[in-house]
Amino acid sequence: MTPKSSENSRTTITELMIPSYANFGGKIHGGILLSLMDKVAYATATKHSGAYCVTVSVDNVDFLQPVEVGDLVSMMASVNYVGNSSMVVGIKVIAENVKTGIVKHTNTSYFTMVAKNDEGGLMKVPPLRLNTKEDVRRFAEAVKRKSLRKGYQAQMEAEKSDFTFEKQKEILQDQRCEIKLKE
């Protein structure tokens, strides 16, 4: 397969935040933003792979600043990493108040997408050609995140298999909870 650069699949989606997207506090629902991020991740991964893609995981969804009704939200996405059938799509989200001109970075997230063939099986995707130092940094960071996630998952599985009720009570000792078991 011929490698493709991230420039080939870069995608930006901009949408006006309307009142029906707001929660009771008047801010935009996080779920609305996640849905838009999923759409831009799909578009980006599909452009790179030339195939139908599905989301398999999402890393780092930390909402740094609220998004307001009336803001223009732009989601800029690029393929940062490819495996055999998987791609990590990095998404930077900014919100712009067009009246005041204030632009704020609300979050950066990483969606892992996989390409599917017509039968629904996994499909090999083109390698990623790294043209800039930024491309190299993003690819290396994705490799490191993948490694850290695997380590965390293995560590958590080991911890869970070793949990006893006494250990659980010890962990909760200084937490804001009260243990009141029904006999």
Side-chain angles (χ1 to χ4, degrees):
M1 290 186 132
T2 304
K4 290 183 175 180
S5 71
S6 61
E7 290 91 33
N8 292 344
S9 58
R10 275 207 180 102
T11 306
T12 299
I13 291 177
T14 301
E15 186 159 337
L16 174 66
M17 297 295 104
I18 59 176
S20 64
Y21 293 174
N23 59 28
F24 292 115
K27 309 298 181 200
I28 301 304
H29 281 287
I32 296 290
L33 297 172
L34 281 170
S35 176
L36 291 170
M37 291 184 327
D38 195 45
K39 287 176 188 175
V40 75
Y42 170 82
T44 304
T46 299
K47 283 168 74 173
H48 181 81
S49 66
Y52 173 70
C53 296
V54 296
T55 307
V56 293
S57 71
V58 180
D59 286 350
N60 292 24
V61 181
D62 297 323
F63 296 106
L64 306 173
Q65 297 189 59
V67 176
E68 312 286 339
V69 171
D71 284 352
L72 280 180
V73 170
S74 295
M75 302 191 179
M76 295 148 298
S78 65
V79 174
N80 292 353
Y81 166 88
V82 298
N84 287 315
S85 61
S86 67
M87 296 154 282
V88 173
V89 176
I91 304 169
K92 181 177 182 180
V93 183
I94 60 165
E96 178 183 1
N97 180 316
V98 292
K99 283 184 174 180
T100 64
I102 294 173
V103 176
K104 54 189 176 182
H105 174 215
T106 65
N107 64 302
T108 297
S109 298
Y110 304 95
F111 280 57
T112 300
M113 311 293 288
V114 294
K116 299 282 195 154
N117 62 26
D118 292 339
E119 291 76 44
L122 296 177
M123 186 181 119
K124 199 165 193 154
V125 299
L128 190 61
R129 188 175 62 244
L130 307 176
N131 293 331
T132 67
K133 286 183 179 179
E134 183 77 5
D135 291 343
V136 171
R137 180 189 62 78
R138 288 177 175 167
F139 199 98
E141 284 179 0
V143 169
K144 187 64 176 174
R145 265 192 311 280
K146 184 177 177 182
S147 170
L148 290 171
R149 185 173 48 252
K150 281 184 180 177
Y152 167 77
Q153 289 169 338
Q155 186 179 356
M156 192 62 203
E157 284 304 311
E159 289 287 332
K160 285 193 308 192
S161 68
D162 197 31
F163 265 9
T164 63
F165 183 70
E166 290 307 312
K167 224 180 207 183
Q168 293 167 2
K169 281 182 16 182
E170 186 180 314
I171 290 169
L172 300 179
Q173 195 170 19
D174 296 327
Q175 301 299 313
R176 292 185 44 87
C177 63
E178 175 186 26
I179 299 174
K180 242 338 194 212
L181 302 178
K182 294 181 182 180
E183 302 296 320

